[in-house]
């Protein structure tokens, strides 16, 4: 639980924003214009379920329209409220700007516990919520494009896209009204894993930054680094899986809502995930110690702490005891403004949310472009690329034979080199490039400026500067 003397989530975001703009030289009034949320729409609607009408409350908040459409997920959670969607919408503005996804920031939420409803009921509720937003152009391929967030996934996005198509039968770009759809409903390869994949790429970028590593007191590579992950939802699961299976990290702890699993030698992320899918809980998982007070594991010694669930989990109540030298914010807002200050004071390096979890919206951008272009990435080039590579391989083999040297290509070279990139490879390559470019822009400010001692402030500076430039260019 977050102590009550903490500012709200939105105030926390504002405090961090204010710290950054104090270091900037913005024209009078522009700072306020960027900071405030442009509009928040609240809807209450009824759905007939189990013989009675149930009333639901939902929100869609638009933070900044300096670029349109505005973009950001829709979450289904009992914690949803106006303050939260406004904070999240603001983070979307800064996130999109930082990774150069050409969108303004928005966020939506429905105050509901999705586990209380069956599939059919959820479909009715989602479609009705979507209907309310679509008829006000708060879901629209040119104006406002939602995506999955906590408690929603590709199934909900497919319902929303279908609802939009029913209400806009002649809109040829209708499928671009929402991203994070299943492949067979206009989605893109690699979107589900994207946020977790982005966390992995963000860590790769950080581990290439010698100065940053020094500031965190870390050495070497990701191999063997001890990692504690909080939340094994879509983001935490993919991040932990890729870090352990591909980079050799040791996932020593996994914190879930009903406790935490700990194993000094490393947890098998896939096995834990399968256990949760099957049993709905981590309790009873065999190859680990179960800690009932899950949150206490946030304080366990490790190299990298990955909060990948809720906001405010690292707060005034526990910040002092956080032992990890590096925190990567896979969730939005997991560290409160007060905790951020304490951690900065201790020298903990935080890779901030607006960068660390930007992989989702980056691949959403690719999906939106794919939908508007009506063609899958790689469809035109793949065979042509393969044919050109074949020419090189044939020539190498001919030269080797003709010269009598008898060179042999390395095993697998031919297979790897000949295969042209499909959609998944292109998406991953675009994501990797986006994450490393954004990291460099942020790290440059962090290392070059004496008045900037953390990555979050650096991220805000880079991102606000771009939003400000956009307002300056177009006028208000
Ligand atoms: N909900 C995700 C986020 O917070 C994805 C947003 C999107 O793809 O538009 O970044």
């Amino acid at each position: 639980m977050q102590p009550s003397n903490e500012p709200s989530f939105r105030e926390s975001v504002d405090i961090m924003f204010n710290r950054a703009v104090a270091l900037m030289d913005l024209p009078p009034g522009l700072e306020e214009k960027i900071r405030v949320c442009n509009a928040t729409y609240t809807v209450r609607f009824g759905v007939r379920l189990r013989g009675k009408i149930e009333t639901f409350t939902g929100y869609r908040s638009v933070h900044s329209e300096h670029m349109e459409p505005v973009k950001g997920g829709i979450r289904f959670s009992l914690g949803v409220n106006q303050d939260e969607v406004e904070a999240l919408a603001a983070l979307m503005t800064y996130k999109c700007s930082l990774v150069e996804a050409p969108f303004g920031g928005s966020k939506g939420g429905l105050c509901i516990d999705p586990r209380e409803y069956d599939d059919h009921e959820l479909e009715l509720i989602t479609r009705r919520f979507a209907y309310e937003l679509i008829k006000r152009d708060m879901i629209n391929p040119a104006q406002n494009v939602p995506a999955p967030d906590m408690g929603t996934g590709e199934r909900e996005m497919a319902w929303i896209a279908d609802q939009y198509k029913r209400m806009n039968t002649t809109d040829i770009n209708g499928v671009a009204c929402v991203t994070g759809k299943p492949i067979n409903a206009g989605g893109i390869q690699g979107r589900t894993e994207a946020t977790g994949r982005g966390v992995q790429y963000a860590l790769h970028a950080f581990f290439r930054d010698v100065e940053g590593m020094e500031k965190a007191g870390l050495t070497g590579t990701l191999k063997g680094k001890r990692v504690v992950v909080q939340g094994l939802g879509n983001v935490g699961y993919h991040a932990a899986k890729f870090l352990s299976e591909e980079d050799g990290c040791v996932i020593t702890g996994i914190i879930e809502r009903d406790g935490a699993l700990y194993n000094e030698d490393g947890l098998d992320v896939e096995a834990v995930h399968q256990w949760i899918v099957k049993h709905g809980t981590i309790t009873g998982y065999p190859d680990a110690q179960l800690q009932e007070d899950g949150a206490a594991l946030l304080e366990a010694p490790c190299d990298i702490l990955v909060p990948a669930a809720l906001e405010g989990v690292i707060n005034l109540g526990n910040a002092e005891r956080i032992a990890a030298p590096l925190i990567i914010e896979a969730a939005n807002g997991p560290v409160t403004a007060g905790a951020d200050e304490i951690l900065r004071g201790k020298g903990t390096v935080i890779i901030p949310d607006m960068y660390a979890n930007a992989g989702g919206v980056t691949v959403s951008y690719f999906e939106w472009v794919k939908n508007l272009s009506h063609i899958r990435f790689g469809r035109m080039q793949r065979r042509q690329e393969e044919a050109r590579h074949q020419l090189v391989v044939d020539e190498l083999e001919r030269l080797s034979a003709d010269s009598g040297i008898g060179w042999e290509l390395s095993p697998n070279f031919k297979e790897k080199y000949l295969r042209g990139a499909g959609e998944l490879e292109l998406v991953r390559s675009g994501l990797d490039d986006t994450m490393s470019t954004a990291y460099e822009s942020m790290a440059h400010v962090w290392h070059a400026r004496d008045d900037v001692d953390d990555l979050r402030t650096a991220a805000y500076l880079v991102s606000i500067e771009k939003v400000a430039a956009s307002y300056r260019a177009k006028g208000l």
Side-chain angles (χ1 to χ4, degrees):
M1 268 309 268
Q2 201 172 312
S4 53
N5 54 345
E6 299 256 13
S8 74
F9 185 13
R10 193 183 49 74
E11 287 162 350
S12 216
V13 172
D14 285 352
I15 291 170
M16 293 166 178
F17 173 92
N18 290 342
R19 270 193 54 222
V21 287
L23 305 174
M24 299 175 77
D25 191 19
L26 292 178
L30 185 54
E31 153 192 340
E32 167 82 352
K33 171 66 206 80
I34 296 174
R35 187 172 50 74
V36 297
C37 214
N38 288 4
T40 303
Y41 171 68
T42 307
V43 58
R44 296 182 188 88
F45 60 90
V47 183
R48 188 181 297 279
L49 298 169
R50 304 174 202 176
K52 72 170 181 58
I53 293 173
E54 234 184 284
T55 303
F56 297 91
T57 305
Y59 305 88
R60 186 78 182 159
S61 177
V62 175
H63 175 260
S64 176
E65 290 150 293
H66 67 289
M67 284 199 185
E68 283 184 312
V70 292
K71 191 94 189 71
I74 288 183
R75 67 170 53 174
F76 284 2
S77 147
L78 284 178
V80 164
N81 57 52
Q82 181 170 344
D83 186 278
E84 185 190 65
V85 286
E86 291 189 353
L88 292 165
L91 283 174
M92 284 309 304
T93 296
Y94 309 133
K95 188 185 306 192
C96 291
S97 167
L98 183 66
V99 297
E100 299 187 339
F103 303 125
S106 181
K107 200 74 168 205
L110 188 63
C111 194
I112 182 182
D113 179 355
R115 289 167 306 172
E116 303 248 306
Y117 300 91
D118 66 29
D119 291 1
H120 177 63
E121 291 170 331
L122 271 177
E123 178 173 349
L124 289 177
I125 299 163
T126 307
R127 281 186 184 272
R128 184 58 207 264
F129 183 32
Y131 167 83
E132 295 293 334
L133 297 178
I134 294 164
K135 74 174 180 188
R136 291 172 178 86
D137 279 338
M138 300 199 88
I139 297 180
N140 179 303
Q143 263 176 268
N144 198 325
V145 181
D149 200 84
M150 192 188 294
T152 57
E154 51 177 41
R155 178 184 65 167
E156 287 74 15
M157 302 306 118
W159 292 331
I160 294 173
D162 185 65
Q163 187 65 32
Y164 182 89
K165 288 298 283 178
R166 285 186 191 186
M167 295 166 70
N168 297 274
T169 46
T170 56
D171 184 347
I172 195 170
N173 293 321
V175 75
C177 74
V178 65
T179 57
K181 301 173 294 286
I183 291 292
N184 58 18
I188 193 167
Q189 300 281 350
R191 175 61 185 84
T192 306
E193 66 166 44
T195 314
R197 183 65 78 186
V199 170
Q200 179 196 29
Y201 290 159
L203 281 172
H204 290 177
F206 180 81
F207 272 69
R208 285 193 296 266
D209 173 10
V210 180
E211 245 182 290
M213 289 280 284
E214 254 169 42
K215 288 180 183 172
L218 288 167
T219 51
T221 65
L222 277 167
K223 197 166 168 17
K225 293 285 179 295
R226 293 162 311 150
V227 178
V228 171
V229 182
Q230 192 227 10
L232 211 63
N234 181 44
V235 181
Y237 160 64
H238 282 106
K241 184 176 164 71
F242 299 146
L243 288 171
S244 58
E245 291 177 6
E246 298 174 14
D247 295 310
C249 288
V250 183
I251 312 294
T252 50
I254 292 178
I255 307 170
E256 265 289 309
R257 74 184 92 219
D258 49 349
L261 296 174
Y262 187 76
N263 185 338
E264 190 60 44
D265 300 326
L267 293 154
D268 179 340
V269 175
E270 190 53 44
V272 176
H273 171 69
Q274 292 305 334
W275 183 273
I276 296 174
V277 169
K278 193 158 166 217
H279 303 276
T281 170
I282 51 166
T283 311
Y285 179 76
D287 295 319
Q289 258 170 268
L290 179 72
Q291 287 192 9
E292 272 177 24
D293 178 12
L297 202 64
L298 288 167
E299 300 160 22
C302 64
D303 299 303
I304 307 169
L305 179 60
V306 190
L310 282 174
E311 55 260 17
V313 292
I314 300 174
N315 48 52
L316 291 177
N318 61 2
E320 203 63 69
R321 297 190 301 275
I322 299 292
L326 177 65
I327 299 175
I328 177 158
E329 297 182 329
N332 287 307
V335 177
T336 64
D340 188 67
E341 196 158 337
I342 295 173
L343 290 163
R344 259 186 292 122
K346 287 188 353 162
T348 311
V349 171
I350 302 176
I351 305 181
D353 47 7
M354 80 172 75
Y355 166 70
N357 67 38
V361 75
T362 301
V363 177
S364 276
Y365 168 40
F366 303 156
E367 178 176 332
W368 183 72
V369 170
K370 172 187 179 179
N371 292 154
L372 295 179
S373 62
H374 299 268
I375 190 164
R376 149 169 72 74
F377 288 109
R379 181 161 177 180
M380 303 295 279
Q381 308 91 322
R382 187 169 176 160
R383 292 287 164 236
Q384 197 255 1
E385 195 188 332
E386 286 177 1
R388 289 169 71 89
H389 286 184
Q390 184 72 56
L391 278 178
V392 176
V393 168
D394 289 350
E395 196 60 8
L396 277 176
E397 283 176 339
R398 188 191 63 77
L399 282 172
S400 158
D402 287 1
S403 64
I405 299 177
W407 285 335
E408 259 189 48
L409 299 175
S410 334
N412 295 335
F413 169 80
K414 207 162 147 178
E415 193 189 300
K416 279 198 200 147
Y417 185 64
L418 283 182
R419 210 161 56 88
E423 187 170 79
L424 184 60
E425 281 109 323
L426 291 170
V427 162
R428 286 183 181 158
S429 137
L431 177 59
D432 198 357
D433 185 54
T434 302
M435 295 307 289
S436 49
T437 308
Y439 183 85
E440 278 156 28
S441 64
M442 211 169 56
H444 174 74
V445 174
W446 184 31
H447 301 321
R449 284 182 63 155
D450 291 339
D451 54 354
V452 175
D453 62 2
D454 66 320
L455 270 171
R456 191 189 313 279
T457 307
Y460 270 105
L461 287 174
V462 174
S463 118
I464 297 168
E465 190 46 67
K466 287 188 199 158
V467 177
S470 165
Y471 274 122
R472 273 197 294 261
K474 72 173 193 170
L476 284 171

